[in-house]
Amino acid sequence: MARKVIIDCDPGIDDAVALCLALFDPRLEVLAVTATEGNASADQTTRNVQAVIEQLDPPRYPRLGVASPIEIPPPTFAWKLHGNDGLADIGYRVSELHHQHLSEKVICDVVRSSPDQVTIIALGPLTNLARALRRDPELATMIGQIIMMGGTVDGIGNVTPTAEFNIYYDPESARTVFQSATTKTLVPLDVTRKVTLFLDFVDQLPEETSRAGKFLRDILTYSFRVHRQNFGMEGIQLHDVVAIMLALHPELFETEPMAGDVETQGELTKGATVFDRRPRPEWQQNMEVATLVDVPAVIDGMIRGLRLAGT
Ligand code: BDR
Ligand code: CA
């Protein structure tokens, strides 16, 4: 039976590729895709979720959730990686939708309609999840599992020297989720960074004549270009896609139970994830953390999975 999932995301180029992988894989039943602010404004990520789904036209359409802004967004430079509109500045148009609901409401409704069965895969800041847990305090015990891309164990960030983007953008919400009584697996930068893709990856995507092939080539060609121009890098990392791979193929990863928290204040460390890894830890373990990944097998799995979108 397919695993029921909600994908909470902030497209974002890697979010868009992650959606492509998830929406066409028969092992996942994507019940809802909920937008969250992050790589672009709340309005923009909401439009981007719709744009990705309309571009890909998957066999089953999920419910959609609307993002709403966080109170004080930090200054970030996600546009350098994802474009001003979060989706490679291609200017996708979307049809007008009626009866839209906030992401946190959609999360609550979908989890409540299948208690203990829904996995939430969080690919952006954890704002919606924290709001859902506040809105419905019983929800924590009804969520099957949360898989979240974010944080670092080795302490080497990407948006600041110590913080990873998704946690840094809304550290208070990340802390709420980390401390919640939910079953969680974190896929941190330490692991996602190991999966570097080069231009030959694009050649192995579905044919350009298919909807998915055209969409993926357009956004990924942009990604390779800005990585080279802005950072002098020949390879790219699609962090969020690695989190979907963990949901699809847990056997390709090793995880360790850890006790994790989030720094919400520090002048130099705001948004950093902190783990009690002392020889005699005093904090209680609250999540599994991916620590090792079979890189060639994950890349092979990504290619095979994305090809399903082109058939
Ligand atoms: C995360 O930051 C975002 O820019 C990506 O979409 C990914 O979710 C990686 O740090
Ligand atoms: Ca993301």
Side-chain angles (χ1 to χ4, degrees), residues 10-224:
D10 61 333
I13 291 175
D14 57 339
D15 302 77
V17 181
L19 282 175
C20 185
L21 188 58
L23 287 165
F24 289 87
D25 196 304
R27 283 164 293 190
L28 298 182
E29 182 183 359
V30 183
L31 299 174
V33 180
T34 51
T36 191
E37 187 176 82
N39 285 323
S41 70
D43 283 352
Q44 187 68 57
T45 56
T46 299
R47 275 197 298 277
N48 289 353
V49 162
Q50 207 190 323
V52 173
I53 290 168
E54 289 180 4
Q55 288 299 313
L56 294 172
D57 192 24
R60 288 177 306 269
Y61 269 55
R63 288 182 62 178
L64 302 185
V66 173
S68 52
I70 72 165
E71 269 170 35
I72 310 171
T76 62
F77 299 95
W79 55 270
K80 280 194 178 181
L81 286 174
H82 302 277
N84 289 312
D85 71 357
L87 266 190
D89 287 335
I90 289 167
Y92 295 111
R93 288 167 183 272
V94 290
S95 50
E96 200 181 325
L97 294 183
H98 302 284
H99 312 300
Q100 288 189 294
H101 294 290
L102 282 180
S103 290
E104 57 265 33
K105 175 173 173 12
V106 173
I107 291 173
C108 292
D109 291 352
V110 171
V111 169
R112 275 204 169 261
S113 62
S114 303
D116 303 326
Q117 289 178 43
V118 178
T119 297
I120 301 176
I121 308 180
L123 306 178
L126 292 163
T127 314
N128 292 333
L129 248 68
R131 287 177 181 167
L133 290 167
R134 265 196 298 273
R135 183 185 174 112
D136 183 350
E138 287 175 4
L139 201 74
T141 57
M142 303 172 109
I143 297 171
Q145 191 192 356
I146 299 174
I147 296 174
M148 43 196 179
M149 189 281 131
T152 76
V153 178
D154 64 12
I156 306 171
N158 57 359
V159 64
T160 75
T162 56
E164 180 280 331
F165 179 85
N166 289 339
I167 307 294
Y168 176 80
Y169 195 83
D170 187 355
E172 285 79 13
S173 290
R175 190 159 209 225
T176 302
V177 175
F178 275 32
Q179 293 180 345
S180 66
T182 49
T183 304
K184 301 176 273 292
T185 301
L186 185 75
V187 186
L189 269 187
D190 316 55
V191 159
T192 61
R193 261 192 186 126
K194 294 201 172 107
V195 186
T196 299
L197 305 162
F198 295 94
L199 261 176
D200 65 322
F201 180 72
V202 177
D203 300 332
Q204 298 173 75
L205 293 172
E207 292 301 322
E208 199 165 3
T209 46
S210 66
R211 293 176 78 101
K214 166 98 176 75
F215 175 71
L216 291 169
R217 276 156 212 269
D218 285 347
I219 59 173
L220 286 173
T221 305
Y222 175 94
S223 190
F224 277 101

